[in-house]
Amino acid sequence: MADQEKDTEDKIPFTAHLEELRKRLITCFVAVGIGFAISYGFKEKLFEILTNPLISVMKQGETLIYTGLPEAFFTFLKVSFLSGLMVASPVIIYQFWMFVAPGLYDREKRLMVPVVLLSSIFFIGGALFGYFIVFPFGFQFFLGFATETIRPMPSMKEYLGFSAKLLLAFGLVFELPLVLTFLARLGIVSVEFLKKNRKFAILVFFVGAAILTPPDVVTQIMMALPLMVLYEISIVGARIFGKKKEAPEPAAGAESASDQ
């Protein structure tokens, strides 16, 4: 009865949830805005860093182009926004988990600090994996279709849209082990469930990779394979940190018999 009364007292009105969501969204927007303002001062250098994987595999003398007068200006704005988003990602992740925290038990809330820290590390790690591992192989594959009569002339706008999509996609998919381990900790999923549905997960990985990546098999596989590895890491994490099954309490009749 006391637990029921406590649960009733802890319930928050729906309008309070909306107000909480509004405050956290504003915090996220402010963090992205600050990151954008700082990044804009280094927009040319940031774009140079972003295009390094492509430039390194292009032939000497080949460069990116822009076909519209305002294209370079808006591209630099988008690069600054993307950089600001990356810089603000720890704040965004923190606000997300803090919005979820009121619905958790006290022992689960204590996990928030390591979860937020690991979420940021996994997101940035996924983006770096895409930048250093996937980009060079993917761009080398695409440029391999060039011939003496067909020359690649990638534009700034197209390249930014392509690379930004992949960076964010890899950052998000690398959150998989943390999310599944956290769900296992809450008792929502189990190691047995993850093992049983492994084949369905692999199918979902390849379908998701086909949606998130360009329509080529190479990039799709380079996203699906890490997801398979991350899924296995999730199973290990669920086994170590997952919710343990409580031992069944002895029946009342058995207790009476033992007392006699």
Side-chain angles (χ1 to χ4, degrees):
M1 180 66 71
D3 292 340
Q4 292 179 352
E5 291 178 356
K6 183 178 183 301
D7 292 340
T8 304
E9 293 174 357
D10 290 344
K11 288 183 179 178
I12 303 176
F14 180 70
T15 53
H17 281 293
L18 291 179
E19 179 65 20
E20 178 75 8
L21 178 62
R22 184 183 71 86
K23 290 180 179 179
R24 299 203 177 276
L25 287 176
I26 291 175
T27 303
C28 292
F29 291 145
V30 171
V32 174
I34 294 173
F36 168 82
I38 296 174
S39 300
Y40 189 76
F42 308 94
K43 56 185 183 300
E44 292 89 354
K45 186 62 178 179
L46 289 173
F47 188 72
E48 179 184 344
I49 294 173
L50 185 63
T51 56
N52 270 341
L54 176 61
I55 299 298
S56 62
V57 296
M58 293 177 71
K59 292 185 178 180
Q60 187 175 3
E62 295 179 340
T63 60
L64 276 76
I65 64 171
Y66 65 94
T67 57
L69 292 178
E71 182 176 331
F73 170 72
F74 285 111
T75 299
F76 285 135
L77 285 180
K78 293 175 182 177
V79 168
S80 302
F81 175 77
L82 177 63
S83 175
L85 191 64
M86 291 292 182
V87 171
S89 60
V91 177
I92 297 173
I93 293 171
Y94 173 81
Q95 295 299 323
F96 169 77
W97 285 113
M98 288 300 103
F99 180 72
V100 176
L104 305 177
Y105 293 107
D106 289 338
R107 65 179 181 274
E108 295 164 350
K109 290 179 181 178
R110 289 194 290 268
L111 300 173
M112 286 294 98
V113 173
V115 164
V116 171
L117 178 61
L118 290 174
S119 296
S120 303
I121 294 174
F122 274 67
F123 180 81
I124 296 174
L128 292 176
F129 176 85
Y131 179 84
F132 287 106
I133 305 299
V134 178
F135 278 17
F137 287 100
F139 297 152
Q140 185 71 53
F141 172 78
F142 292 133
L143 295 177
F145 293 98
T147 65
E148 293 183 358
T149 57
I150 303 175
R151 306 309 306 163
M153 299 182 66
S155 70
M156 296 175 65
K157 178 182 178 181
E158 291 173 349
Y159 176 79
L160 176 62
F162 176 85
S163 58
K165 179 182 177 182
L166 284 183
L167 288 176
L168 294 176
F170 275 98
L172 290 175
V173 300
F174 266 61
E175 299 285 346
L176 179 67
L178 190 62
V179 172
L180 291 181
T181 301
F182 189 72
L183 292 177
R185 182 68 180 178
L186 299 181
I188 299 175
V189 299
S190 64
V191 175
E192 292 75 17
F193 175 84
L194 295 176
K195 288 183 175 180
K196 181 180 178 181
N197 293 277
R198 181 186 279 115
K199 55 182 179 295
F200 300 109
I202 293 174
L203 176 62
V204 171
F205 294 157
F206 276 92
V207 173
I211 295 173
L212 294 174
T213 60
D216 72 279
V217 179
V218 175
T219 313
Q220 179 184 358
I221 293 176
M222 294 188 73
M223 175 173 283
L225 289 180
L227 276 171
M228 294 167 61
V229 175
L230 293 170
Y231 190 80
E232 297 303 320
I233 295 175
S234 303
I235 295 177
V236 176
R239 180 180 290 112
I240 297 174
F241 301 103
K243 189 175 182 180
K244 309 301 181 184
K245 292 183 179 180
E246 298 180 357
E249 297 181 358
E255 291 180 357
S256 300
S258 62
D259 292 340
Q260 293 177 359

